[in-house]
Amino acid sequence: MSSNRVEEIKKEDKKAFKSFAIMMVISAMIGAIIGGGSIYLQENIGDNISEFLLNALMIITPYASLVLSILVIIVSVVIYSNSRKKLKLWNQSDDQEEIIDNIEEKLSYVLLFASVNLIIGFFFFGAGMALLSEDSYTKVILFLVGFIVCVVSTILIQNKVVNLEKEINPFLNGSVYDFKFSQKWLDSCDEAIKLNVYKSSFKAYKSITNTCLILWIVCVLGYNFFDFGIMPLVMVTIIWLVQTIAYCIESIKCSKNKIN
């Protein structure tokens, strides 16, 4: 490596270090303020907040998954029907490429809504198992029906969207009901779609890293403030480790394949 390149690297580090040092000082000050504030809040309203959150969950948990799933189903049916009509129009015209782009964008939002609903459904299922064990049978039944509707509707919505995508792009393969669907789907994608997947994956990796850091702070503060205990901190650390190790190992594998 030339001496000029070494000097360039040093200058780059020196320039970046100033902003880094300032951010570290600001973060330390914010941390001190939050730490002091958490002690005050714990002494004054800590128990009230915990009780309020538990009561709110007990009220909404029996109905949340069912209501959200019905809303997602309605929105998905409307968007899917509209997309299929637009696809039919495109097949008749063959010269309106923006129609396809619009269809695929809308279908992506449908998948987003369905996936978010599934995650929220799992949350309320866990909350219901903890909070509704001694509640009325009606609420328990609604809670279970809501979770079943959430899971089944998500699978059916994903299947409809994937099949419509395969109609738009005949080279795509894979069935939602196949346990190896993700790999088969990715293998069948062209280079443009794969590049979009890789960019999205890296963005997701960065987002999860930042989220884990924030959750770590919440868990540390909540250990005393909400009496979380140590398990939330352990779970966040496990998620953080898994996604970091998985990303690094896959990066090493890709580097080896590139060399070979």
Side-chain angles (χ1 to χ4, degrees):
M1 183 182 294
S2 66
S3 58
N4 290 335
R5 181 55 181 162
V6 173
E7 289 299 320
E8 289 177 4
I9 294 173
K10 289 182 178 180
K11 288 181 180 179
E12 186 178 21
D13 284 343
K14 185 177 180 180
K15 181 179 179 181
F17 180 76
K18 294 179 181 179
S19 300
F20 177 78
I22 293 173
M23 286 302 301
M24 289 297 99
V25 172
I26 294 174
S27 298
M29 294 173 61
I30 294 175
I33 293 172
I34 293 175
S38 66
I39 296 174
Y40 171 80
L41 291 174
Q42 179 188 3
E43 293 175 349
N44 292 274
I45 60 174
D47 293 337
N48 293 333
I49 292 179
S50 298
E51 185 178 351
F52 171 78
L53 291 175
L54 286 175
N55 290 335
L57 279 175
M58 290 184 68
I59 293 173
I60 66 175
T61 294
Y63 320 103
S65 288
L66 185 59
V67 172
L68 288 175
S69 297
I70 292 174
L71 290 175
V72 170
I73 290 171
I74 293 173
V75 172
S76 299
V77 168
V78 171
I79 295 178
Y80 178 83
S81 300
N82 187 44
S83 298
R84 182 157 285 287
K85 290 178 181 178
K86 287 184 177 180
L87 179 61
K88 184 178 180 181
L89 178 64
W90 179 80
N91 288 329
Q92 294 173 349
S93 62
D94 278 338
D95 61 353
Q96 300 185 50
E97 195 64 34
E98 66 275 6
I99 294 180
I100 291 297
D101 294 337
N102 182 261
I103 291 173
E104 293 186 321
E105 181 181 354
K106 294 292 178 59
L107 293 178
S108 296
Y109 278 110
V110 171
L111 289 177
L112 173 62
F113 298 152
S115 299
V116 169
N117 182 51
L118 181 64
I119 294 171
I120 294 175
F122 273 103
F123 167 78
F124 281 113
F125 180 78
M129 294 296 291
L131 299 175
L132 300 179
S133 58
E134 298 180 359
D135 219 316
S136 68
Y137 287 114
T138 302
K139 290 184 178 180
V140 172
I141 291 173
L142 285 173
F143 153 72
L144 293 174
V145 169
F147 180 70
I148 293 172
V149 171
C150 173
V151 174
V152 173
S153 64
T154 299
I155 295 173
L156 294 178
I157 289 170
Q158 290 177 341
N159 184 59
K160 286 290 186 180
V161 171
V162 166
N163 288 344
L164 187 56
E165 279 284 0
K166 288 192 289 186
E167 290 183 37
I168 297 172
N169 302 293
F171 56 85
L172 293 175
N173 295 312
S175 170
V176 169
Y177 304 120
D178 189 341
F179 289 109
K180 295 182 179 180
F181 163 72
S182 297
Q183 188 59 50
K184 290 182 179 179
W185 182 267
L186 185 61
D187 290 341
S188 67
C189 292
D190 60 17
E191 292 302 318
I193 297 178
K194 286 183 178 179
L195 181 60
N196 183 51
V197 171
Y198 298 150
K199 288 181 177 179
S200 302
S201 299
F202 180 73
K203 183 67 175 179
Y205 164 78
K206 296 295 294 181
S207 298
I208 293 173
T209 299
N210 294 332
T211 302
C212 285
L213 178 58
I214 295 171
L215 290 176
W216 178 86
I217 296 173
V218 172
C219 289
V220 170
L221 295 175
Y223 181 81
N224 292 318
F225 186 52
F226 291 111
D227 194 22
F228 279 177
I230 198 67
M231 278 307 298
L233 186 60
V234 172
M235 300 305 292
V236 170
T237 303
I238 291 173
I239 295 171
W240 203 347
L241 281 172
V242 168
Q243 68 101 19
T244 300
I245 293 172
Y247 177 85
C248 292
I249 290 177
E250 192 61 30
S251 178
I252 292 170
K253 289 181 180 179
C254 292
S255 298
K256 289 183 177 179
N257 293 333
K258 184 177 180 181
I259 292 175
N260 295 333

